């Protein structure tokens, strides 16, 4: 495509506000998927989820190699934008090309350091509808490499050059296959990149501003947007609007409330997906850089993070017997953490890693003080043994079967019991916890007992 043809395409596309597509998402239906799996296509955001009078301000940034005068003017424009945003307490979004980040890593990092959201805007700003899948992925990958070198990240947010194909199902599938699940589009362009005067920009705001609008502007000279930015902000405020960050714009409802209450991007990072149905109707999950937020009407919205999330994912998240979280992650004894779910808990410590505990074994363990009690943290998930089920803890095991219930075996008695074959031995499963006797400690089993002598430090087996 020629330069003039691309310019014509860009002018034609940007002039649109796409009222029929101004819903969030809005791309073709995807095949059915299992619960809480990666999106089939990137979700397109032509506006935020807000229904109140708020707007989100974004800029696109692609410094081509120009004259020293042009580059100096563009750098001054960027400094103006960041200064005005800071002066008004606004967190914006920036569609940054890979070549800009490669040529100007300090400026790119400064944008992110000031808290603004970075979008992958391709490496060299081609029309993605003219590229093969491999070429699209190359553009994305090269940009991410430049971002990493500059110390910034897109978190899987993409913005289409020229807005070309932004609603195309194939393009959005290609994005998802490369880990880009958010297509950060926009509601309207000020057309400042065309050197539009204030009258033109003001008229476009009057015509196209609406609740949740995402506004795109441009940094590079000859754009008038940097010079007009304070007037744009003042006009939008005068129309009764406030400003929300891109981080907030892609969240909604109870998940948004928990995300913001937890500290937003400073706590969970940026969203890496839009909100998705977690399992059945009325449930929702959203993935973030540092965790996931789950919501159901029965449990409310709660975050799952770190090693606990890794374990939860390995188990199948909401599709597992654990189902939905009923608490956020909580601190545990000795610097550990735990999260409680409808069907059990996951506990983590640096010494043991993350393991699930549920059912009667969990009830028994919690009655004994949980991780703060004698047994400490779990060292295994619940597993099947020859008779019933068991969980290994730091200082003992809890065994359960439907006939005898849950009982603890620990210390020297546990060592001897395991040497004999555990529940598969002649002793069978435990029928009591360890208790004090005259000579020391004793545990009873279906077919006998193990008695520890405190004087000799030996364990005697007594069979029935």
């Amino acid at each position: 495509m020629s330069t003039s043809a691309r310019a014509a395409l860009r002018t034609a596309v940007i002039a649109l506000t796409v009222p029929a597509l101004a819903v969030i998402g809005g791309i073709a239906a995807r095949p059915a998927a299992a619960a809480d799996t990666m999106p089939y296509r990137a979700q397109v955001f032509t506006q935020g989820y807000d229904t109140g009078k708020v707007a989100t301000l974004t800029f696109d940034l692609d410094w081509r190699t120009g004259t020293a005068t042009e580059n100096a003017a563009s750098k001054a424009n960027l400094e103006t934008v960041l200064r005005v945003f800071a002066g008004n307490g606004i967190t914006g979004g920036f569609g940054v090309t890979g070549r800009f980040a490669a040529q100007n890593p300090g400026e790119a990092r400064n944008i992110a350091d000031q808290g603004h959201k970075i979008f992958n805007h391709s490496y060299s700003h081609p029309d993605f509808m003219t590229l093969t899948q491999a070429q699209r992925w190359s553009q994305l990958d090269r940009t991410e490499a430049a971002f990493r070198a500059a110390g910034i990240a897109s978190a899987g947010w993409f913005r289409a050059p020229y807005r070309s194909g932004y609603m195309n199902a194939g393009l959005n599938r290609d994005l998802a296959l490369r880990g880009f699940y958010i297509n950060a589009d926009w509601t309207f362009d000020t057309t400042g990149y065309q050197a539009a005067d204030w009258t033109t920009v003001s008229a476009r705001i009057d015509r196209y501003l609406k609740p949740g609008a995402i506004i795109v502007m441009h940094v590079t000279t000859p754009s008038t947007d940097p010079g007009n930015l304070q007037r744009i902000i003042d006009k939008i405020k005068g129309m009764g609007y406030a400003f929300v960050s891109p981080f907030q714009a892609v969240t909604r409802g109870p998940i948004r409330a928990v995300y913001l209450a937890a500290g937003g991007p400073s706590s969970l990072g940026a969203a890496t997906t839009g909100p998705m149905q977690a399992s059945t109707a009325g449930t929702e999950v959203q993935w973030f850089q540092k965790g996931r937020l789950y919501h159901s009407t029965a449990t409310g919205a709660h975050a799952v993070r770190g090693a606990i999330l890794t374990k939860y994912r390995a188990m199948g998240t909401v599709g597992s017997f654990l189902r939905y979280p009923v608490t956020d992650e909580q601190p545990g004894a000795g610097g550990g953490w735990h999260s409680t779910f409808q069907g059990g808990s996951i506990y983590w410590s640096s010494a043991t890693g993350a393991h699930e505990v549920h059912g009667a074994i969990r009830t028994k363990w919690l009655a004994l003080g949980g991780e703060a009690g004698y047994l400490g943290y779990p060292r295994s998930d619940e597993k099947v043994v020859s008779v019933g089920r068991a969980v290994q803890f730091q200082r003992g095991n809890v065994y359960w079967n439907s006939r005898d219930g849950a009982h603890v075996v620990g210390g020297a008695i546990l060592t001897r019991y395991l040497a004999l074959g555990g529940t598969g031995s002649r002793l069978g499963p435990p029928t009591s916890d360890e208790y004090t006797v005259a000579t020391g400690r004793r545990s009873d089993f279906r077919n006998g007992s193990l008695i520890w002598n405190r004087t000799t430090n030996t364990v005697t087996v007594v069979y029935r």
Side-chain angles (χ1 to χ4, degrees):
M1 183 180 290
S2 68
T3 301
S4 60
R6 286 185 177 176
L9 169 65
R10 178 172 173 77
T11 300
V13 170
I14 288 178
L16 299 175
T17 59
V18 203
L21 298 175
V23 295
I24 300 150
I27 60 177
R30 54 159 293 176
D36 194 19
T37 55
M38 66 177 164
Y40 183 77
R41 296 190 181 102
Q43 182 173 340
V44 180
F45 285 86
T46 59
Q47 67 186 75
Y49 279 111
D50 299 270
T51 57
K53 296 180 74 173
V54 298
T56 299
L57 301 183
T58 70
F59 278 84
D60 283 353
L61 183 55
D62 176 35
W63 270 348
R64 301 170 181 85
T65 302
T67 67
T69 300
E70 289 171 338
N71 288 341
S74 294
K75 181 176 181 179
N77 281 352
L78 178 57
E79 291 171 349
T80 295
V81 171
L82 294 176
R83 183 175 64 253
V84 173
F85 272 172
N88 289 272
I90 292 173
T91 299
F94 287 80
V96 179
T97 64
R99 65 186 173 192
F100 172 84
Q103 295 165 7
N104 307 276
E107 283 82 359
R109 187 166 53 253
N110 186 37
I111 295 170
D113 286 347
Q114 293 194 36
H116 303 295
K117 183 71 193 74
I118 302 292
F119 317 144
N120 184 316
H121 196 36
S122 80
Y123 189 84
S124 56
H125 209 272
D127 179 349
F128 264 46
M129 293 306 291
T130 69
L131 304 182
T132 65
Q133 181 188 73
Q135 290 170 331
R136 290 170 177 173
W137 288 355
S138 176
Q139 285 281 323
L140 298 170
D141 293 349
R142 289 180 67 195
T143 301
E144 291 302 307
F147 283 3
R148 286 192 296 272
I152 63 177
S154 71
W157 293 44
F158 171 78
R159 174 168 278 177
Y162 309 110
R163 207 188 195 187
S164 178
Y166 73 103
M167 290 293 289
N168 180 269
L171 171 58
N172 283 290
R173 176 59 177 158
D174 283 350
L175 292 174
L177 287 170
R178 213 59 173 175
F180 290 82
Y181 304 133
I182 294 179
N183 189 332
D185 190 56
W186 37 265
T187 312
F188 72 94
D189 191 326
T190 62
T191 68
Y193 78 99
Q194 295 178 321
D197 60 19
W198 172 245
T199 300
T200 300
V201 173
S202 181
R204 290 185 68 79
I205 295 171
D206 287 332
R207 181 176 180 182
Y208 296 122
L209 185 64
K210 61 181 179 180
I214 299 173
I215 303 169
V216 66
M217 295 170 280
H218 294 79
V219 172
T220 309
T221 185
S223 176
T224 57
D225 290 324
N228 282 329
L229 182 55
Q230 188 61 60
R231 297 175 77 177
I232 291 169
I233 292 170
D234 291 342
K235 178 178 178 66
I236 292 172
K237 285 182 177 178
M239 296 170 71
Y241 279 72
F243 299 96
V244 297
S245 73
F247 301 100
Q248 178 173 327
V250 301
T251 61
R252 66 185 178 192
I255 283 181
R256 170 187 283 182
V258 170
Y259 176 59
L260 296 180
S266 66
S267 173
L268 284 164
T272 58
T273 70
M276 304 177 288
Q277 181 173 303
S279 56
T280 59
T283 66
E284 199 161 69
V285 61
Q286 189 162 14
W287 300 1
F288 295 83
Q289 288 175 287
K290 301 176 184 177
R292 295 184 185 180
L293 278 163
Y294 293 87
H295 173 260
S296 76
T297 54
T299 60
H302 299 285
V304 187
R305 312 166 184 249
I308 290 177
L309 174 59
T310 300
K311 183 65 178 180
Y312 186 47
R313 289 176 60 189
M315 296 181 67
T317 69
V318 297
S320 72
F321 67 84
L322 289 174
R323 301 192 301 281
Y324 285 83
V326 298
T327 67
D328 294 327
E329 191 172 79
Q330 304 290 318
W337 293 88
H338 61 90
S339 289
T340 303
F341 302 82
Q342 288 174 297
S345 300
I346 297 177
Y347 281 77
W348 172 90
S349 76
S350 59
T352 59
H355 298 286
E356 64 82 14
V357 191
H358 68 279
I361 290 179
R362 175 177 176 270
T363 300
K364 180 71 173 180
W365 176 59
L366 292 177
L368 295 169
E371 84 285 1
Y374 168 77
L375 287 172
Y377 282 87
R379 295 195 296 116
S380 76
D381 299 339
E382 183 175 300
K383 57 186 179 181
V384 175
V385 292
S386 56
V387 181
R389 303 181 71 86
V391 173
Q392 295 176 299
F393 294 89
Q394 287 177 294
R395 290 177 288 277
N397 294 355
V398 178
Y399 295 87
W400 170 89
N401 66 78
S402 59
R403 172 178 159 182
D404 304 301
H407 298 287
V408 180
V409 184
I413 291 178
L414 175 61
T415 301
R416 184 65 184 276
Y417 182 53
L418 294 176
L420 291 169
T423 58
S425 71
R426 178 179 168 184
L427 285 170
T431 58
S432 77
D433 295 340
E434 185 177 297
Y435 57 96
T436 301
V437 292
T439 57
R441 304 282 290 175
R442 172 173 175 157
S443 287
D444 296 328
F445 301 84
R446 279 191 194 175
N447 303 309
S449 300
L450 289 172
I451 304 168
W452 171 75
N453 187 299
R454 70 170 63 90
T455 303
T456 62
N457 194 28
T458 58
V459 177
T460 303
V461 183
V462 178
Y463 293 110
R464 291 192 182 91

